[in-house]
Amino acid sequence: MDEEKILNAISLDKDVDGFHPLNVGNLALRSRKPLFVSCAAKACLELLFQSGIDLMGKHVTIIGRSKVVGLPTSLLLQRHHATVSVIHAFTENPEEITRGSDIVISAAGVANLVRGSWLKQGAVVIDVGTNPVEDPASDFGYRLTGDVCFEEAVNVASAITPVPGGVGPVTIAMLLANTLDSAKRVYGLSD
């Protein structure tokens, strides 16, 4: 399947996932406003805002550069004047870069990648990763874990999201908010 062809076929007014090239492009251009932003990216920022965390001037490291989380989150953070580093598979010294960050957002899809030693004392950690790991004690034979080793990070971080139950429910709430905004726009409804 041609992903670009499919994304281009989606009506801009109904792109509640925020993946249409025009929405992503408008997000990248600070002078423009996208109709919709990726729900996972919005969820990350919503968690920060609701926690009272000021982003201006903060160093944020995003681990993973996907179109769903990494890219749109980095663009949103820059709109709020954060300094953003993006770690990917070819980044040299990812631990060192991450250790210098006030906020770490991990969306790499690698269970327990980020260790406590990767974090500076008091960092805020948002774990977007959802990784199945074998667990014979579980009814399903596996359990879900994040990209961050929670047991280590919780002793270093000032705030950390759990997996499951952290970013996921907020992402769903952002999808519902985008869907409501889309319906209002399509049917000419106001607040």
Side-chain angles (χ1 to χ4, degrees):
M1 297 178 113
D2 184 345
E3 179 183 349
E4 291 304 314
K5 189 174 183 179
I6 293 167
L7 289 175
N8 283 321
I10 296 170
S11 167
L12 196 58
D13 288 326
K14 296 179 182 179
D15 177 36
V16 296
D17 288 311
F19 298 154
H20 191 284
L22 286 175
N23 277 322
V24 176
N26 285 337
L27 180 60
L29 300 171
R30 288 189 351 158
S31 62
R32 295 188 181 184
K33 186 174 188 240
L35 291 179
F36 300 103
V37 175
S38 162
C39 302
K42 278 179 70 171
C44 290
L45 266 71
E46 186 66 22
L47 285 164
L48 292 168
F49 295 148
Q50 291 298 320
S51 299
I53 295 166
D54 181 24
L55 297 174
M56 190 176 296
K58 293 289 192 303
H59 182 203
V60 182
T61 293
I62 300 172
I63 303 172
R65 58 180 173 179
S66 72
K67 290 185 265 187
V68 175
V69 183
L71 175 63
T73 304
S74 69
L75 295 171
L76 275 176
L77 287 164
Q78 290 177 68
R79 282 179 172 242
H80 292 277
H81 309 292
T83 301
V84 180
S85 297
V86 178
I87 305 274
H88 52 79
F90 301 103
T91 301
E92 293 182 17
N93 302 316
E95 303 96 339
E96 185 179 321
I97 295 167
T98 305
R99 200 174 6 263
S101 301
D102 304 302
I103 301 166
V104 176
I105 300 172
S106 188
V110 179
N112 296 313
L113 171 69
V114 180
R115 310 306 293 205
S117 62
W118 285 37
L119 304 172
K120 92 174 177 183
Q121 190 66 43
V124 172
V125 179
I126 297 180
D127 192 348
V128 186
T130 306
N131 310 292
V133 294
E134 264 189 56
D135 184 356
S138 168
D139 292 341
F140 303 105
Y142 71 92
R143 63 182 166 78
L144 295 178
T145 189
D147 291 350
V148 179
C149 181
F150 189 88
E151 294 76 19
E152 294 177 11
V154 74
N155 297 317
V156 181
S158 61
I160 184 170
T161 59
V163 174
V167 178
V170 182
T171 300
I172 293 167
M174 297 300 101
L175 177 61
L176 292 171
N178 280 355
T179 303
L180 180 60
D181 289 344
S182 175
K184 286 179 181 177
R185 187 175 292 107
V186 169
Y187 294 107
L189 304 173
S190 61
D191 291 331

